[in-house]
Amino acid sequence: MGSHPLPVPTTSAGREGLAALLERPGRAVVGFDFDGTLAEIVPDPDQARAHPGAVPALSRLAPKVRSAAVITGRPAEVAVRYGGFAGAEGLDGLVVLGLYGAERWDAASGALQAPEPHPGVAAVQAELPAVLEEHGASQGTWIEDKSRAVAVHTRRAEDPQATFERLRAPLHALAERHGLIIEPGRLVLELRPPGMDKGVALTEYVRRTGAETVLYAGDDLGDLAAFAAVERLRAEGVPGVLVCSGSTEVTELAKRADLVVDGPAGVVELLSALADAVGGDAP
């Protein structure tokens, strides 16, 4: 035991949040983004898989806390498959909130709750190839069908960042025309229905579980909403810890975090350290 030393948050609010989690783990919610946090970022999003240590570490920690949740922009079913979460021992209490919380998968039942697709998504998908062509971005860009959202990835383009910047305005206009919003990420622009973000999803989940402490780990711009939600909860007296899955790509998140760890491997180490710190191994 104790083989994973617990890192010390750099802020007093973070230290207070961690102390509260360690004192009353059974009243804490731990939340995680998927890509870049539990899984390495890869050029082809279809090849993303959870870090090999993620499920074992989550399986040790999850039974000791009120609840563990993965909050992702991906469809819930895809995150479950790529994460290897279904049927994992110790993960009965895991919930995956997909498409920024619009979908919910419960490990205990294996049931998926999902809304009807927004009509604007199909319309956008039909028009996207022509828009990419018009802006000279059809080479190397990749369109991901998320069923209830659509994402344009520029990581494989010849100049990924320039292509990303060039597409921002035209894709924003396309999204607006069909009643969607645009969510920028690490070399990805996602067009999706409004009204749901990781902050809304996390806040609702914390309230639903009656948690009194929250830890959230993320790595991307879409996680800023969840960070802001934790900051609001802290202002209401709910201690919280903000963890950035260390990335030089999104410095804004690292600046706001209480703890910066070294990517998914660092997140796994943190999970293991927390599992060590809150008592013996999971039964």
Side-chain angles (χ1 to χ4, degrees), residues 172-266:
H172 182 82
L174 176 65
E176 217 168 39
R177 202 158 65 239
H178 294 290
L180 302 180
I181 59 165
I182 197 149
E183 179 87 51
R186 286 162 76 175
L187 300 176
V188 58
L189 292 156
E190 183 164 321
L191 296 82
R192 63 180 180 84
M196 221 34 189
D197 65 34
K198 290 183 180 184
V200 174
L202 182 61
T203 304
E204 284 183 1
Y205 193 67
V206 166
R207 299 216 193 287
R208 191 160 62 230
T209 55
E212 294 171 16
T213 308
V214 58
L215 175 144
Y216 182 79
D219 74 304
D220 205 347
L221 293 170
D223 296 305
L224 284 172
F227 269 37
V230 172
E231 287 161 355
R232 279 193 300 274
L233 286 163
R234 289 205 283 215
E236 292 171 20
V238 176
V241 187
L242 295 170
V243 180
C244 177
S245 176
S247 158
T248 49
E249 284 186 37
V250 188
T251 50
E252 201 178 337
L253 213 64
K255 282 181 195 148
R256 277 172 74 173
D258 305 308
L259 263 182
V260 179
V261 298
D262 189 14

Side-chain angles (χ1 to χ4, degrees), residues 122-142:
V124 154
Q125 222 160 357
E127 290 180 39
L128 255 179
V131 172
L132 296 182
E133 182 105 10
E134 187 189 332
H135 294 274
S138 48
Q139 279 299 102
T141 49
W142 184 72

Side-chain angles (χ1 to χ4, degrees), residues 18-226:
L18 186 59
L21 192 158
L22 296 176
E23 202 180 307
R24 300 183 299 277
R27 295 179 190 177
V29 155
V30 291
F32 306 91
D33 168 45
F34 185 70
D35 293 277
T37 302
L38 292 178
E40 295 287 352
I41 292 282
V42 289
D44 180 353
D46 279 348
Q47 299 305 310
R49 295 295 181 270
H51 183 283
V55 167
L58 265 175
S59 295
R60 285 186 56 225
L61 179 63
K64 301 171 183 179
V65 295
R66 174 70 52 94
S67 182
V70 174
I71 306 176
T72 173
R74 286 191 186 262
E77 179 271 328
V78 172
V80 170
R81 199 166 71 240
Y82 291 0
F85 302 132
E89 206 176 324
L91 285 190
D92 306 352
L94 181 76
V95 165
V96 176
L97 302 171
L99 298 178
Y100 303 92
E103 293 185 340
R104 176 187 165 123
W105 175 86
D106 285 88
S109 62
L112 177 70
Q113 296 167 327
E116 283 300 305
H118 186 291
V121 174
V124 154
Q125 222 160 357
E127 290 180 39
L128 255 179
V131 172
L132 296 182
E133 182 105 10
E134 187 189 332
H135 294 274
S138 48
Q139 279 299 102
T141 49
W142 184 72
I143 300 171
E144 182 188 3
D145 176 7
K146 293 188 167 189
S147 74
R148 289 172 176 82
V150 59
V152 177
H153 296 265
T154 66
R155 199 169 282 273
R156 293 190 224 156
E158 202 174 319
D159 188 336
Q161 193 61 44
T163 307
F164 175 85
E165 296 301 341
R166 194 161 70 241
L167 288 176
R168 268 186 123 133
L171 292 191
H172 182 82
L174 176 65
E176 217 168 39
R177 202 158 65 239
H178 294 290
L180 302 180
I181 59 165
I182 197 149
E183 179 87 51
R186 286 162 76 175
L187 300 176
V188 58
L189 292 156
E190 183 164 321
L191 296 82
R192 63 180 180 84
M196 221 34 189
D197 65 34
K198 290 183 180 184
V200 174
L202 182 61
T203 304
E204 284 183 1
Y205 193 67
V206 166
R207 299 216 193 287
R208 191 160 62 230
T209 55
E212 294 171 16
T213 308
V214 58
L215 175 144
Y216 182 79
D219 74 304
D220 205 347
L221 293 170
D223 296 305
L224 284 172

